[in-house]
Amino acid sequence: MVLLRPLALLLALVVPVVHDLPWIINVSENQGPGTILHSFNLSCTSHMPSLKLLGVQPPSTFFNPPSLTTWQGMYMGEVTLSSSARLDALAVNHYELQLQYTCGNDVWEGSLFVDVQRDPGHIQCAGPFASPAGEIIQVPETITPGARLYTLLFPGLELQGAQMNITSAQDPPYFPGPFSINGQGWLQAPPQGLKGQAQKVFQLQILVTFGPGRSCRGTLVVKVLPVPSSQVSFLKQDQNITIPEDLVPGSQVVQVKAQGLDVRYEILSPLPCTLFSIGREDGVIRTTAPLELAQAPGAAVTALRVKAFERLQPWASVELNVTVNVRRVNRWPPRCLPALLVTQIPETAPVGTVLGTFTCTDLDSPGSTMDYQLRFHSPSVPTSLCLSDRVLKVNATLDCDAPGACFQHTASILVFDGGQPPMSTEVPVLVIVTPVNEFSPACVTRTFRVREDAAPRTLLGSVVGMDMDYPRDSIEYHTSAGSAVFTVDRLSGEVRLLGPLDYEQQRVYRLIVLVTDHSQDQNPTYHRSGSCTITIEIEDVNDHAPECEPPFQELTVHTSLGRSMEVTKVSCRIPQEPQRLAFSYSIVGGNSQSQFSLRGAVLVHDNLKPGAPWPERPHTYELLIRVADAGPSIPHLSTTATVIVHLVPWKASTVAASTHRATVPSVVTPLLVTDTEAFWQPDPWFVVVLTVTGALLLLSLGWPLSRLLGGSISMAEHRTPERRIS
């Protein structure tokens, strides 16, 4: 029995709508006409389908055109044996049926293989012997008496205990003697031979009995030919032929030619010949079964003994040895498991991590060695993966934190076999590298400055966070404790002012900013964090005006022409900001004729201008002195102190010069009173007398007057000064 190729499955009928269609049908040789070989379902929803038998290899009329019936909305196809079917595994054990299925505009074609299995319990008369016309054999009249003329049964059938008898009459003188059949099924020539029986025809009816109720009949026609008048010879001597193993059954191997009259050909050995057949008339040797060396190693070399003879003189024959060598053909690419590798590994996978192991086999040459090559398709680092002895491993650190993320490696494993021509299989490889949160984020310690009068939502600056994981700087910002004064934006890190500031209460703030990463690990809930300290320095802003003590002064100054004298000193400070000691002073009102000037905080009366008229009567000046804080802080706030000066000119006839100072408490609004006195200019002797008398009088009145003036000054110091802000 011929072994069938497993790869014939690939040639089977490929119809997406066919259900349960077998690739190979095994049929016993005892199946007769009308036998259903197989049924299968077909789908065609919108058209009327058709199923045709395009052809049979080797050619045979044993198969009916397939039928197509409908059942429960499905179409059922059947392949049956025809009325002429006479299956014989010893003659042909393999048929290929080419089917065509049509559904609308869609047409599918494929092969259905029928493997004829031998049935040892079913023996039948084979070949033309069992046909109505019978088997015709030709023998020369010179054949040896008792020689074998025909074999009724193939070798091995004699073990079944078959009995063969010639039932037709063989009476002389028509028969030179009786033909006989021995126990091996050989038809033997009469003991007298056939000399002189040329051109005669002997018809023999033969009964073959295999047991009770099992028998068959056949006819043998023996034609006696005259002595050959020609000689048969092959044009070529023994031949050695090499053919590929992928020849389909029925393919031509070689054609042998012999010289003679009406030459016929047959294979003498091996018998039975399951792999090859020869054309009886044309001498063409063809394959009759698949020549798969992987499944049938014995098909590698077949020695055929071919006989050529003349049709009318079969005894005129010659033999030829033909050696057929079957060469392996590389038809199928390697088959690999897995056929596709998709794997996922973390970026921290160590070097040497096994990603997959590939197992490939060559259907053309099982057990052969194959070549494995790794080819990259993505722009990844070629050294990131390596292939060693069919094992795909991590070859380098899969760090995906650098620019140009390496989160996906696409490659192929190319597998080459050693056949001719070489064939290859490509195994796609996709390695997905998942991110791992390896590094903790950090931020830079910074110092911001802000004015104490800054408005809410004022931007102070931004916290700069950094993270070495990919994607870079995927950071959120938080403060360690809720601050009522400052806030940090969660995404941008911007630091903004929330509430009011007071330099005098707190000059420096320190915030601990927490930075937390996100979206940097396969586990979205896994985060890392870091922190830094942000220092915020408050810039002082001038928000308090100076206060002068006292804010109002009134004094009387006796002065003489050509002299300069200090009138008073303005004393100012800022109680809320005692550190501020720098002030600027200027006379902003009441300084008519420019009689007064300021030397810092000291008010000076200056009567040094040449040619200036000398007032003969006392004069009162209400001076407004603007006191402003100085320094880099802005704005500059100021207040105004009031100094009323009663200026009394000094002359020789007047009493001694004196200064009378009066202050008014700040809570009382001052009332200015101007007192004008008349004076006269006496003679010089009177001035001397008056001077001596006045000195004695002043000495006597000095002590009460000092007590009186001391009490007035003490009352003035408790008054609030008038304030003006510029």
Side-chain angles (χ1 to χ4, degrees), residues 448-452 486 501-503 506-509 536-540:
F448 301 125
R449 299 180 64 86
V450 59
R451 290 166 52 90
E452 67 173 323
F486 303 97
L501 300 173
D502 191 342
Y503 176 83
Q506 186 170 349
R507 301 181 182 183
V508 177
Y509 292 85
I536 302 174
E537 296 181 353
I538 310 303
E539 293 183 355
D540 187 20

Side-chain angles (χ1 to χ4, degrees), residues 212-232:
R214 299 175 61 192
S215 63
C216 68
R217 293 180 178 273
T219 302
L220 283 178
V221 178
V222 181
K223 291 183 178 182
V224 182
L225 301 177
V227 177
S229 58
S230 62
Q231 184 177 4
V232 180

Side-chain angles (χ1 to χ4, degrees), residues 1 44 170 236 343 373 392 539 634 638 650:
M1 182 181 64
C44 186
Q170 301 186 64
K236 294 183 179 180
T343 185
Q373 297 180 10
L392 184 64
E539 293 183 355
I634 56 174
S638 64
W650 171 266

Side-chain angles (χ1 to χ4, degrees), residues 71-335:
W71 178 75
Q72 294 184 356
M74 296 290 294
Y75 292 94
M76 177 177 292
E78 288 184 349
V79 178
T80 61
L81 293 177
S82 68
S83 59
S84 63
R86 299 290 187 273
L87 299 179
D88 186 356
L90 295 177
V92 178
N93 68 346
H94 184 83
Y95 294 94
E96 180 182 354
L97 281 65
Q98 189 71 21
L99 299 178
Q100 182 186 72
Y101 175 72
T102 303
C103 178
N105 295 327
D106 298 326
V107 179
W108 296 275
E109 293 185 2
S111 296
L112 183 63
F113 296 98
V114 178
D115 185 12
V116 181
Q117 305 292 328
R118 186 176 177 183
D119 184 6
H122 177 78
I123 307 300
Q124 65 180 20
C125 298
F129 167 75
S131 66
E135 179 78 22
I136 300 176
I137 60 175
Q138 297 175 341
V139 297
E141 62 177 344
T142 58
I143 193 170
T144 303
R148 182 175 64 175
L149 304 179
Y150 182 79
T151 301
L152 292 173
L153 297 177
F154 291 106
L157 294 184
E158 66 275 4
L159 300 178
Q160 303 295 326
Q163 296 181 1
M164 291 153 281
N165 299 302
I166 300 175
T167 60
S168 60
Q170 301 186 64
D171 299 333
Y174 184 75
F175 280 83
F179 292 86
S180 63
I181 302 176
N182 65 9
Q184 294 179 331
W186 294 355
L187 177 65
Q188 295 175 320
Q192 296 84 357
L194 296 175
K195 191 67 174 177
Q197 304 296 321
Q199 305 299 331
K200 287 186 178 182
V201 177
F202 302 97
Q203 185 170 355
L204 305 174
Q205 299 294 330
I206 301 175
L207 173 63
V208 181
T209 303
F210 303 100
R214 299 175 61 192
S215 63
C216 68
R217 293 180 178 273
T219 302
L220 283 178
V221 178
V222 181
K223 291 183 178 182
V224 182
L225 301 177
V227 177
S229 58
S230 62
Q231 184 177 4
V232 180
S233 63
F234 280 103
L235 300 180
K236 294 183 179 180
Q237 297 303 315
D238 295 350
Q239 299 187 40
N240 197 316
I241 305 300
T242 300
I243 60 174
E245 66 174 339
D246 60 347
L247 291 181
V248 298
S251 299
Q252 178 176 333
V253 177
V254 68
Q255 183 178 20
V256 297
K257 291 186 178 181
Q259 191 174 23
L261 297 175
D262 198 6
V263 178
R264 297 293 185 264
Y265 305 90
E266 66 179 13
I267 295 177
L268 296 180
S269 67
L271 286 179
C273 187
T274 58
L275 298 179
F276 304 97
S277 65
I278 190 169
R280 186 174 179 83
E281 297 181 358
D282 58 8
V284 175
I285 300 176
R286 299 179 182 273
T287 60
T288 57
L291 303 176
E292 287 288 345
L293 295 180
Q295 304 299 326
V301 179
T302 302
L304 300 176
R305 188 159 58 91
V306 179
K307 174 183 175 182
F309 59 92
E310 293 185 353
R311 183 178 66 84
L312 299 179
Q313 303 180 82
W315 57 88
S317 63
V318 68
E319 296 180 2
L320 174 68
N321 293 323
V322 178
T323 301
V324 180
N325 301 286
V326 179
R327 171 176 50 83
R328 291 187 181 273
V329 176
N330 199 22
R331 291 174 296 161
W332 310 110
R335 179 179 296 175

Side-chain angles (χ1 to χ4, degrees), residues 615-621 646-649 674-679:
E616 297 182 356
R617 299 177 62 83
H619 188 75
T620 298
Y621 294 88
H646 301 288
L647 187 62
V648 179
T674 302
D675 184 15
T676 304
E677 297 179 358
F679 71 96

Side-chain angles (χ1 to χ4, degrees), residues 554-630:
E554 182 178 5
L555 48 89
T556 302
V557 176
H558 294 269
T559 183
S560 60
L561 182 64
R563 296 182 60 188
S564 176
M565 64 177 296
E566 294 183 1
V567 176
T568 186
K569 182 177 181 181
V570 180
S571 176
C572 300
R573 64 186 183 90
I574 301 177
Q576 299 85 351
E577 303 179 30
Q579 76 278 4
R580 293 184 181 273
L581 301 176
F583 301 98
S584 63
Y585 304 86
S586 60
I587 300 175
V588 296
N591 190 18
S592 60
Q593 299 179 358
S594 300
Q595 293 290 315
F596 299 90
S597 64
L598 288 170
R599 297 177 183 173
V602 178
L603 178 65
V604 178
H605 176 257
D606 190 1
N607 196 17
L608 300 177
K609 296 182 179 180
W614 174 253
E616 297 182 356
R617 299 177 62 83
H619 188 75
T620 298
Y621 294 88
E622 183 180 352
L623 301 177
L624 301 179
I625 300 176
R626 179 179 179 272
V627 181
D629 53 6

Side-chain angles (χ1 to χ4, degrees), residues 268-448:
L268 296 180
S269 67
L271 286 179
C273 187
T274 58
L275 298 179
F276 304 97
S277 65
I278 190 169
R280 186 174 179 83
E281 297 181 358
D282 58 8
V284 175
I285 300 176
R286 299 179 182 273
T287 60
T288 57
L291 303 176
E292 287 288 345
L293 295 180
Q295 304 299 326
V301 179
T302 302
L304 300 176
R305 188 159 58 91
V306 179
K307 174 183 175 182
F309 59 92
E310 293 185 353
R311 183 178 66 84
L312 299 179
Q313 303 180 82
W315 57 88
S317 63
V318 68
E319 296 180 2
L320 174 68
N321 293 323
V322 178
T323 301
V324 180
N325 301 286
V326 179
R327 171 176 50 83
R328 291 187 181 273
V329 176
N330 199 22
R331 291 174 296 161
W332 310 110
R335 179 179 296 175
C336 297
L337 290 176
L340 170 67
L341 177 62
V342 178
T343 185
Q344 180 174 293
I345 58 174
E347 64 172 318
T348 55
V351 175
T353 300
V354 176
L355 303 178
T357 302
F358 300 90
T359 302
C360 300
T361 57
D362 188 358
L363 300 179
D364 297 304
S365 180
S368 61
T369 302
M370 283 166 285
D371 181 31
Y372 296 81
Q373 297 180 10
L374 176 62
R375 177 178 298 175
F376 286 91
H377 300 303
S378 60
S380 57
V381 180
T383 59
S384 56
L385 306 176
C386 68
L387 187 66
S388 175
D389 192 22
R390 303 183 293 108
V391 179
L392 184 64
K393 301 179 181 180
V394 175
N395 190 50
T397 302
L398 300 175
D399 186 9
C400 296
D401 298 321
C406 62
F407 290 126
Q408 183 170 295
H409 297 271
T410 55
S412 294
I413 305 297
L414 296 180
V415 184
F416 298 90
D417 58 17
Q420 291 296 329
M423 301 193 74
S424 64
T425 294
E426 182 176 4
V427 180
V429 174
L430 176 61
V431 179
I432 301 174
V433 182
T434 58
V436 175
N437 195 359
E438 302 176 80
F439 305 100
S440 297
C443 55
V444 180
T445 300
R446 298 192 63 183
T447 299
F448 301 125

